[in-house]
Amino acid sequence: MSGFEALIGNTLLISAVTGWFVAQVLKTLIHAWVNKGFDLERLIGSGGMPSSHASTVCALAVSAGKEYGVGSPVFAVTAILAIIVMHDAMGVRLETGKQAKLLNQILDSFKTLEGKKLTEEKLKEFVGHTPLQVLMGAILGILIGWLMG
């Protein structure tokens, strides 16, 4: 078996990548529907509904549980990884996005400060997820992992 065949035959990897891809497409479509316009950045960007982070790691963990059993070390590692990633998406990364939004508002208020031009570059505001976005991503990932695993 070639390296490529082994790669595409890796159920855990394919489940995780599919979880990410489906979530990103759904996120892009939902964003376009809500905002009445298509934004290509949403297809690869962070943040939004559903969480592709949650979808990816949940698809990975469920696929690992089905392939190796829930008592296996592989499942244990993927389950802990999923918990950490989802917690981080709702915690530090969500707060980072809130801070970026506030800093962007401050920068807009003060176009120049002491005669110096402030940066024109906006900070990225879509970096984290709300608990609902993570929950929806987790449900999506669980379904994908179950169907593909």
Side-chain angles (χ1 to χ4, degrees):
M1 179 184 297
S2 74
F4 180 72
E5 289 171 333
L7 192 63
I8 63 171
N10 185 325
T11 307
L12 276 66
L13 178 63
I14 299 303
S15 293
V17 170
T18 302
W20 173 83
F21 181 76
V22 171
Q24 289 299 120
V25 169
L26 286 173
K27 178 189 307 189
T28 303
L29 294 174
I30 291 168
H31 187 269
W33 180 62
V34 169
N35 294 292
K36 312 277 189 278
F38 182 77
D39 181 4
L40 187 60
E41 193 276 333
R42 299 308 317 139
L43 195 55
I44 57 169
S46 300
M49 170 74 87
S51 166
S52 57
H53 291 85
S55 181
T56 302
V57 294
C58 285
L60 177 67
V62 169
S63 187
K66 283 187 74 178
E67 187 161 329
Y68 297 103
V70 294
S72 71
V74 174
F75 175 73
V77 169
T78 59
I80 294 300
L81 174 68
I83 291 166
I84 292 168
V85 167
M86 290 186 293
H87 182 268
D88 183 62
M90 290 185 300
V92 174
R93 292 179 63 247
L94 181 61
E95 290 303 315
T96 299
K98 289 177 183 178
Q99 291 171 4
K101 187 173 186 173
L102 179 61
L103 287 171
N104 285 336
Q105 291 170 349
I106 291 169
L107 287 172
D108 285 343
S109 297
F110 299 101
K111 294 293 182 190
T112 59
L113 186 62
E114 296 181 13
K116 295 179 182 176
K117 181 83 171 155
L118 296 177
T119 180
E120 292 292 326
E121 185 178 334
K122 295 266 188 188
L123 297 171
K124 188 173 178 182
E125 295 177 12
F126 281 121
V127 291
H129 295 284
T130 65
L132 178 63
Q133 292 168 342
V134 170
L135 176 63
M136 293 297 107
I139 291 170
L140 177 63
I142 289 167
L143 290 172
I144 289 169
W146 187 259
L147 292 173
M148 296 189 75

